[in-house]
Amino acid sequence: MEATGVALNKLAELEEELEVVDKDVELFKLKKVQPIFKRRDKLLEDVPEFWKVVLSQHGDFGNYVRAGDLKYIDAIRKIDLVPLCLDDSSCDPRDFRITFYFDGIDGDFEGQEVSKVFKVCYDKSKVKFSREEDEDDYDEDLGFLTSEAVNIKWPKSYDWINPLKIEDKSSSEGKRNYRIGMKSFFAWFKWTGLKPRKEFPDGGGLASLLSEDIYPHCIKYYAEAQRDLVDETGDDEEVSDGPLQLDDVLLESMSDSENQHVIKKARK
Amino acid sequence: MEATGVALNKLAELEEELEVVDKDVELFKLKKVQPIFKRRDKLLEDVPEFWKVVLSQHGDFGNYVRAGDLKYIDAIRKIDLVPLCLDDSSCDPRDFRITFYFDGIDGDFEGQEVSKVFKVCYDKSKVKFSREEDEDDYDEDLGFLTSEAVNIKWPKSYDWINPLKIEDKSSSEGKRNYRIGMKSFFAWFKWTGLKPRKEFPDGGGLASLLSEDIYPHCIKYYAEAQRDLVDETGDDEEVSDGPLQLDDVLLESMSDSENQHVIKKARK
């Protein structure tokens, strides 16, 4: 019994050592990967509608936003994501800043560049819980993402659900529209992670999805989406408009073995 | 169009650079983690029935073996897992050797030590496919696990399904029993990965489960299993026999904050 107790104590210490190793590994990886991602992002500027294809075809992203948001998400020209720990060693490897570059849509939506910073927090006392059961979603050992609210210009067509434009928030219609607006991608920019149920739902989940899945694996998702389009339309059919133009581009360059490689990788 | 084609080609090259980084990261991690795992494995020798608790409580492990195998899996005293790339740079970071130390069961099962080596293979032509549709499960870019068959002494109670003991393999009963035996954990030791449908099913999946999940996270699974037992039995109930003794050990040492830490970690 005694030996077991001693062993269990030491095992708990080892688990903490393993956590430190996990952070070291994460940092090592970011340092290696970041310069490659920067070169990649530069190349992506030459691929028309890259993020439109990736975000509209991603299996999970669409679950976080309103269907009506997709039109404006299609207007994302570029996404930039930078881990903060490379310049600031006090930061967690999971801390990052993401910047969206939106193209404008005439008469409805102003082109803009919006950055948002996410940082891991380990102090649950900073969170204002309105329901006790929500506390389980926040783990002080593992940490949870938080962010500062940033401004984004909403599209005109969203005036009815834009929290700054709803005139009477106490009317039942005002309340309802406010709640709808809170579920919009635009409301995510105001998300802090400190007011569960009072802001965009699971904003941390969307942030992690972008930083851990979509941004690092965007080429894979792009190639997958292209492959699906190829499968849908058949190899030699002529297609006229929309994202299928991209398909043509890819089919054209697929005579080249390296592009087939992109496609092949995506099949994994 | 031209710029896009050039960009797509360069993106394919970048994806290959990222694959190299992934391997570097994996190697960096193994070098850091391996000495900690070795100290951990030494400590585990002082925790009675550690692997019995981990393997019997793991959510997925049981799906790979026959229910009847559990008795013999409970007899695993120790598991040792060594990545091969640390000593041999020609190996893939996923190559490993696993060793099981079985205690004997009187009159039925001989105590033994059995090692099996798994290596990633990228050459599909080595695989003898009996059905074309199985080929999709093997990816030459990603690689797939293979292994050499090793000997293990089967329990006496398994004579009826032990491929070496079935006298008439061409009778319908012989065939049936042979097929049942092929699904046993003992048949996994003969698994090569080169004869799909003719050997233990998805032996590579079981190998990956052990090397990527169960072995590295065994403390987490142990603590989870203990917590479940605490939840089931309540904190102050007296429990008499079986693995619940372990529960007592842990409850006893839980007055100590570091052990609560083990439990807490497991909740993640």
Side-chain angles (χ1 to χ4, degrees):
Chain A
M1 282 295 188
E2 189 41 43
T4 306
V6 171
L8 289 173
N9 280 342
K10 288 192 177 159
L11 287 168
E13 286 167 30
L14 285 190
E15 284 296 284
E16 289 184 6
E17 283 187 52
L18 288 170
E19 277 179 32
V20 174
V21 168
D22 278 345
K23 282 204 177 183
D24 286 351
V25 170
E26 202 45 48
L27 198 61
F28 177 84
K29 182 175 185 173
L30 287 174
K31 276 181 190 158
K32 291 250 180 192
V33 144
Q34 202 54 25
I36 302 178
F37 282 172
K38 289 305 111 188
R39 282 191 284 141
R40 182 195 70 183
D41 291 353
K42 186 86 194 105
L43 291 168
L44 295 186
E45 292 176 15
D46 283 333
V47 183
E49 300 188 321
F50 179 83
W51 288 106
K52 173 177 171 172
V53 171
V54 169
L55 296 174
S56 64
Q57 299 290 314
H58 189 276
D60 200 16
F61 178 78
N63 296 329
Y64 282 91
V65 297
R66 296 181 65 237
D69 293 335
L70 293 178
K71 176 179 171 189
Y72 306 103
I73 286 162
D74 284 352
I76 294 171
R77 185 179 66 249
K78 181 178 158 187
I79 295 178
D80 188 47
L81 196 145
V82 183
L84 303 180
C85 62
L86 297 182
D87 295 318
D88 179 352
S89 61
S90 72
C91 284
D92 188 281
R94 286 175 290 163
D95 296 353
F96 68 96
R97 182 179 58 248
I98 188 165
T99 307
F100 295 87
Y101 298 78
F102 291 93
D103 283 331
I105 298 174
D106 268 354
D108 181 26
F109 181 55
E110 197 176 315
Q112 55 193 313
E113 202 186 301
V114 189
S115 291
K116 190 165 171 66
V117 167
F118 292 87
K119 291 191 173 190
V120 175
C121 173
Y122 296 88
D123 179 2
K124 237 159 119 164
S125 73
K126 291 190 178 162
V127 184
K128 273 200 180 167
F129 292 103
S130 47
R131 294 207 203 167
E132 208 178 307
E133 68 251 43
D134 293 340
E135 297 198 27
D136 292 343
D137 300 337
Y138 287 71
D139 186 313
E140 289 199 320
D141 283 322
L142 195 60
F144 48 88
L145 281 180
T146 57
S147 184
E148 284 188 22
V150 292
N151 291 321
I152 185 167
K153 287 172 203 117
W154 292 47
K156 281 210 178 68
S157 76
Y158 272 19
D159 281 355
W160 64 289
I161 55 169
N162 179 341
L164 297 175
K165 298 280 177 73
I166 296 173
E167 288 186 4
D168 182 6
K169 286 198 189 72
S170 55
S171 71
S172 69
E173 198 196 338
K175 274 183 194 164
R176 192 175 66 238
N177 293 345
Y178 181 86
R179 276 199 294 267
I180 295 173
M182 272 305 111
K183 292 181 184 157
S184 158
F185 181 56
F186 292 95
W188 179 67
F189 290 86
K190 286 277 185 212
W191 181 86
T192 63
L194 304 176
K195 297 174 288 181
R197 289 180 196 267
K198 306 282 187 196
E199 52 186 6
F200 182 88
D202 197 13
L206 177 53
S208 301
L209 186 75
L210 286 161
S211 71
E212 295 173 11
D213 182 29
I214 296 177
Y215 182 79
H217 305 128
C218 62
I219 301 291
K220 188 188 83 162
Y221 289 121
Y222 180 81
E224 261 175 18
Q226 294 296 353
R227 176 172 53 87
D228 291 348
L229 291 171
V230 173
D231 288 353
E232 272 168 34
T233 58
D235 276 4
D236 44 11
E237 270 176 47
E238 278 301 319
V239 190
S240 55
D241 62 353
L244 295 179
Q245 290 166 357
L246 276 171
D247 196 19
D248 298 340
V249 173
L250 207 73
L251 285 174
E252 199 175 276
S253 48
M254 263 173 66
S255 53
D256 168 303
S257 70
E258 249 136 23
N259 271 306
Q260 287 183 341
H261 192 71
V262 172
I263 302 272
K264 225 169 158 187
K265 296 283 164 194
R267 292 206 167 133
K268 284 174 195 174
Chain B
M1 280 299 189
E2 189 42 45
T4 306
V6 171
L8 289 172
N9 279 341
K10 289 194 178 156
L11 286 168
E13 286 168 31
L14 285 190
E15 284 296 283
E16 289 183 7
E17 282 187 52
L18 288 170
E19 276 178 33
V20 173
V21 168
D22 278 346
K23 281 205 179 181
D24 286 353
V25 169
E26 202 45 47
L27 197 62
F28 176 85
K29 182 175 185 173
L30 287 173
K31 276 181 189 158
K32 291 252 178 187
V33 145
Q34 203 51 26
I36 302 178
F37 282 171
K38 289 306 111 186
R39 283 191 282 139
R40 182 196 70 184
D41 291 352
K42 186 89 195 101
L43 289 168
L44 294 186
E45 292 176 15
D46 284 334
V47 182
E49 300 187 322
F50 179 83
W51 288 106
K52 173 177 172 174
V53 171
V54 169
L55 295 173
S56 64
Q57 297 291 314
H58 189 275
D60 199 17
F61 178 77
N63 295 329
Y64 282 91
V65 298
R66 295 182 66 240
D69 293 336
L70 294 177
K71 176 179 172 190
Y72 307 103
I73 285 163
D74 284 352
I76 295 170
R77 183 178 69 249
K78 182 177 155 185
I79 295 178
D80 189 47
L81 195 144
V82 183
L84 303 180
C85 62
L86 297 182
D87 296 319
D88 180 351
S89 61
S90 73
C91 284
D92 187 280
R94 285 174 290 165
D95 295 353
F96 67 96
R97 182 178 57 248
I98 188 164
T99 307
F100 295 87
Y101 298 78
F102 290 93
D103 284 332
I105 298 175
D106 269 355
D108 181 27
F109 182 55
E110 199 174 312
Q112 56 194 312
E113 202 185 300
V114 188
S115 291
K116 190 165 172 65
V117 167
F118 293 87
K119 291 191 175 190
V120 175
C121 173
Y122 296 88
D123 180 2
K124 237 159 119 164
S125 73
K126 291 190 177 160
V127 184
K128 273 200 179 167
F129 292 102
S130 46
R131 292 206 202 168
E132 208 178 306
E133 68 251 42
D134 293 341
E135 297 199 28
D136 291 342
D137 300 337
Y138 288 71
D139 186 314
E140 289 198 320
D141 282 322
L142 196 60
F144 48 89
L145 282 180
T146 57
S147 184
E148 282 188 22
V150 294
N151 290 322
I152 185 167
K153 288 170 202 119
W154 291 47
K156 280 210 177 67
S157 75
Y158 271 19
D159 281 355
W160 64 289
I161 55 169
N162 179 342
L164 297 176
K165 299 279 177 72
I166 296 174
E167 288 186 4
D168 183 4
K169 286 197 191 71
S170 57
S171 71
S172 69
E173 198 196 339
K175 276 183 195 164
R176 193 175 63 238
N177 293 345
Y178 181 84
R179 275 199 294 268
I180 295 173
M182 271 306 112
K183 292 181 184 156
S184 157
F185 181 58
F186 292 96
W188 180 67
F189 290 87
K190 286 277 186 213
W191 181 86
T192 63
L194 304 176
K195 297 174 287 181
R197 290 181 195 265
K198 306 281 186 197
E199 52 186 5
F200 182 86
D202 197 14
L206 178 53
S208 300
L209 186 75
L210 286 161
S211 71
E212 294 172 12
D213 181 29
I214 296 177
Y215 181 78
H217 306 127
C218 62
I219 301 289
K220 189 190 81 161
Y221 288 121
Y222 180 80
E224 262 175 18
Q226 294 296 354
R227 175 171 55 86
D228 290 348
L229 291 171
V230 172
D231 287 353
E232 273 168 33
T233 58
D235 277 4
D236 44 10
E237 269 175 47
E238 277 301 317
V239 190
S240 55
D241 60 352
L244 296 180
Q245 290 166 357
L246 275 172
D247 196 19
D248 299 340
V249 173
L250 206 73
L251 284 174
E252 201 174 275
S253 48
M254 263 174 65
S255 53
D256 169 300
S257 70
E258 250 136 22
N259 272 306
Q260 288 184 339
H261 191 72
V262 172
I263 302 271
K264 227 169 156 188
K265 296 283 164 194
R267 293 207 166 130
K268 284 172 194 177

